[in-house]
Amino acid sequence: MTTTRVLVTGATGKIGGAVAAQLLEKGVPTRALVHRDDARSARLRALGAETVVADIFDIQRVQAVMDGVDRLFFNPPYHPHALDSAVSFAVAARRSGVEAVVALGQWLASPEHPSLMTRQHWLIDKLFELLPDTAHVAVDPGWFADNYLQFIGVAAQLGVLPAPTGGGRNAPPSNEDIARVAVGALLDPHRHDSRAYRPTGPTLLTGAEIGDAVGEALGRRVRHIEVPPRMLMKAVRVNAKRLGFDLYLESGLRHYALEAALGTWEVGGPTTHVRDVAGVEPEDFLTIARRYATRSETRRTAGNLIGQIWNFTLTGLVPMHDLDRFDRLQQHPQPAHPRLSGQSAIWRSEHTPSTETSPA
């Protein structure tokens, strides 16, 4: 593996950054594709990465970045034209003779999901499957631990963790464990060829158990409160700048929040895929929460308390964005009969409940 060069897209993001860092830690020559040269790309260079600034929608730049690369970690951008980017990388990979593609996808991926992002993830997976003489591995996590913990500041200051679980359970994975599975596949892609892995935490948890773990990490009592998906979207609108969300991301998220009540996150979970591919036990939610509990917004200060009270109040006052109108204005295509994954016979047929390492 010492002479194998890996290209990592989305290398300054949460998953892509973790993949690049773990590869570099193992001494793997790593080319990090970044959107701009900033402090995050400088950190990657400090770790030993070769950083390249390029537009992932420009086939000529993509081809230039792909030349000299043996394996690719493709992390689709949160963008309505993510499929265009995947086509560019598939063409470039074919021309350059890339031996393996490990692609980050979604547990929800389905051709009939109402979210454009989720339908594109399904198509991207099928696209890379078509590359001849190229190993293909899919890494398809569900609802990340990170999604719950983005609101740990509310829990720290107000003692509540608002999240729409719909009474369902989830075994949320850490960003680091998702990256560990991707890295394991990149290190030995032919052993994992044609597999689809879903990293999860070790235990299915209820909303109350997730709240309890956050409270233990913070050293105070925290109660999970069930909120309707619409209220989540209002909170996302209020916190969009901090979260890095735009209307396209909100358009997909509103549908994902409905899946919990359908039991979609429980199907086939928890898996053993972190151990099977990375050779380590998956992190439990408490361990993950303890990392987030060190953030500045968790400090019990008057400023943080006032800020969270104001944020909480504002969430109740602002309307949710009209995301149906946004989809129409952006001319997002829709399937003839949109169905959430938990309601889709196609999705169910492709996601056999199992904790084995067989494709899912």
Side-chain angles (χ1 to χ4, degrees):
M1 186 67 190
T2 55
T3 60
T4 298
R5 184 175 302 279
V6 178
L7 174 64
V8 177
T9 75
T12 55
K14 293 175 182 178
I15 306 299
V19 168
Q22 290 177 24
L23 287 169
L24 291 164
E25 187 177 296
K26 295 178 182 296
V28 179
T30 302
R31 180 176 293 170
L33 181 59
V34 300
H35 183 62
R36 65 176 65 87
D37 197 0
D38 57 18
R40 296 175 300 173
S41 54
R43 284 195 294 271
L44 289 170
R45 281 196 300 274
L47 292 174
E50 173 196 1
T51 59
V52 180
V53 179
D55 182 349
I56 61 172
F57 299 104
D58 184 335
I59 179 58
Q60 292 178 305
R61 290 293 296 133
V62 168
Q63 185 66 69
V65 170
M66 190 75 78
D67 288 342
V69 167
D70 304 289
R71 299 173 188 177
L72 166 67
F73 174 68
F74 182 72
N75 185 354
Y78 292 129
H79 194 281
H81 296 297
L83 185 58
D84 292 347
S85 174
V87 171
S88 294
F89 276 93
V91 170
R94 175 64 173 153
R95 289 177 174 174
S96 298
V98 169
E99 66 169 312
V101 175
V102 175
L104 184 68
Q106 281 187 347
W107 176 240
L108 296 178
S110 164
E112 55 185 3
H113 201 277
S115 164
L116 174 62
M117 183 189 303
T118 299
R119 297 195 306 276
Q120 289 193 346
H121 273 287
W122 188 86
L123 285 168
I124 289 169
D125 183 59
K126 303 308 176 188
L127 171 67
F128 285 127
E129 283 181 0
L130 296 175
L131 290 178
D133 307 317
T134 302
H136 168 242
V137 187
V139 180
D140 298 332
W143 193 258
F144 298 10
D146 185 78
N147 293 327
Y148 298 102
L149 294 165
Q150 285 304 311
F151 294 97
I152 196 169
V154 179
Q157 306 305 323
L158 304 180
V160 296
L161 184 70
T165 66
R169 297 180 299 164
N170 185 23
S174 68
N175 298 333
E176 292 76 12
D177 275 343
I178 296 167
R180 288 182 184 107
V181 172
V183 168
L186 287 163
L187 293 175
D188 194 1
H190 298 289
R191 181 167 78 89
H192 302 288
D193 187 16
S194 301
R195 302 274 187 163
Y197 293 113
R198 179 203 178 187
T200 71
T203 310
L204 285 169
L205 302 172
T206 64
E209 290 168 331
I210 288 171
D212 289 343
V214 170
E216 184 172 345
L218 291 169
R220 67 162 298 171
R221 183 176 184 273
V222 171
R223 179 172 57 91
H224 165 256
I225 56 172
E226 185 66 31
V227 295
R230 187 175 186 84
M231 185 61 69
L232 172 68
M233 299 314 302
K234 286 155 61 79
V236 168
R237 179 176 183 176
V238 170
N239 293 276
K241 183 176 181 180
R242 176 178 67 82
L243 296 171
F245 270 55
D246 59 14
L247 288 177
Y248 174 68
L249 274 169
E250 289 187 36
S251 178
L253 181 64
R254 62 176 164 151
H255 302 298
Y256 308 152
L258 299 170
E259 297 280 4
L262 298 174
T264 313
W265 310 127
E266 297 183 49
V267 174
T271 73
T272 60
H273 295 173
V274 175
R275 181 174 70 246
D276 297 336
V277 182
V280 298
E281 294 299 323
E283 296 185 293
D284 61 72
F285 189 80
L286 176 58
T287 297
I288 304 166
R290 282 177 171 148
R291 285 200 295 272
Y292 288 72
T294 63
R295 291 182 171 185
S296 60
E297 65 263 34
T298 66
R299 296 175 191 151
R300 303 288 293 279
T301 66
N304 278 344
L305 176 61
I306 292 169
Q308 290 297 341
I309 291 173
W310 169 244
N311 189 290
F312 207 73
T313 303
L314 196 59
T315 297
L317 297 174
V318 301
M320 173 182 165
H321 280 127
D322 186 344
L323 297 171
D324 287 332
R325 180 173 183 273
F326 169 76
D327 285 351
R328 289 194 300 272
L329 290 175
Q330 296 298 308
Q331 298 184 343
H332 290 172
Q334 284 290 333
H337 303 288
R339 292 181 181 88
L340 295 170
S341 295
Q343 299 169 326
S344 168
I346 294 174
W347 184 86
R348 292 274 175 175
S349 71
E350 294 182 349
H351 295 73
T352 303
S354 174
T355 57
E356 300 299 320
T357 58
S358 57

